[in-house]
Amino acid sequence: MFYYIIALFVIALDQLTKWLIVKNFELGESVKVIEDFLYITSHRNRGAAWGILQGQMWFFYVITVIVIIGIIYYIQKAAKGKMLLGLSLGLMLGGAIGNFIDRVYRKEVVDFINTYIFGYDFPVFNIADSALVIGVGMLMVQMLLEEREAKKEKSYGENGTHHS
């Protein structure tokens, strides 16, 4: 249940921040937070990351529903007793649903976090995107830890040092 609460928190924060941007900013309006690094910029995206697949809403609907079902399945089947895995899946679930809500109700995703990293104007993103990226990163760490543990167990068995 805790992982679904994480997802709900992400969805609520994502939708609140997007609502604030839509209500208080003109499209394209930008406010400096940290010069040459962080700006709040009202932007819309009808595609995926970096604006790819513009206008392919049915594709996003189908893929997102499949992803959401898959994440829920893994929360139910694999996350029990694995906090890092559960947190990563909760973040990804919240991020996927947050952007899905935009696509269904607005027919576009509201983005507003605009960063410049080492002079590169990174594509504008939102809270849902951040949760997805952090969740995927945490999932990768979980997978690396599990692989490391499996190798350790295998080497114990091969060396005859493992006792039942």
Side-chain angles (χ1 to χ4, degrees):
M1 189 66 175
F2 175 70
Y3 307 131
Y4 295 112
I5 293 170
I6 296 293
L8 286 173
F9 175 76
V10 168
I11 295 165
L13 183 61
D14 177 65
Q15 291 300 302
L16 173 65
T17 55
K18 290 172 177 175
W19 178 79
L20 288 169
I21 293 301
V22 169
K23 290 293 181 196
N24 296 301
F25 282 71
E26 294 294 324
L27 187 59
E29 183 180 351
S30 187
V31 173
K32 173 178 58 178
V33 178
I34 301 171
E35 189 167 356
D36 295 328
F37 180 70
L38 177 63
Y39 298 80
I40 302 300
T41 303
S42 179
H43 179 75
R44 303 297 181 274
N45 184 355
R46 293 177 187 253
W50 287 275
I52 62 172
L53 299 172
Q54 288 289 322
Q56 303 296 316
M57 284 301 147
W58 283 106
F59 173 77
F60 291 116
Y61 296 153
V62 171
I63 293 298
T64 304
V65 168
I66 291 169
V67 166
I68 289 169
I69 290 168
I71 292 171
I72 291 170
Y73 174 81
Y74 278 106
I75 287 174
Q76 294 300 120
K77 296 294 182 189
K80 288 178 178 49
K82 296 181 180 179
M83 181 67 88
L84 184 60
L85 177 60
L87 285 173
S88 71
L89 293 171
L91 288 169
M92 291 189 298
L93 181 62
I97 293 172
N99 280 339
F100 186 68
I101 290 169
D102 277 22
R103 288 189 173 104
V104 168
Y105 291 107
R106 292 189 172 101
K107 306 295 184 230
E108 61 189 6
V109 175
V110 176
D111 292 324
F112 59 91
I113 303 168
N114 189 9
T115 59
Y116 290 82
I117 301 172
F118 301 112
Y120 174 70
D121 185 6
F122 200 77
V124 184
F125 58 99
N126 58 46
I127 300 296
D129 298 332
S130 300
L132 282 163
V133 169
I134 293 167
V136 168
M138 291 171 68
L139 180 61
M140 291 171 62
V141 169
Q142 174 70 33
M143 293 167 64
L144 289 170
L145 292 173
E146 286 179 3
E147 183 179 326
R148 187 175 179 192
E149 187 62 32
K151 283 182 181 178
K152 189 186 298 183
E153 287 176 13
K154 184 178 178 189
S155 78
Y156 283 149
E158 289 173 356
N159 296 332
T161 57
H162 186 291
H163 302 289
S164 302

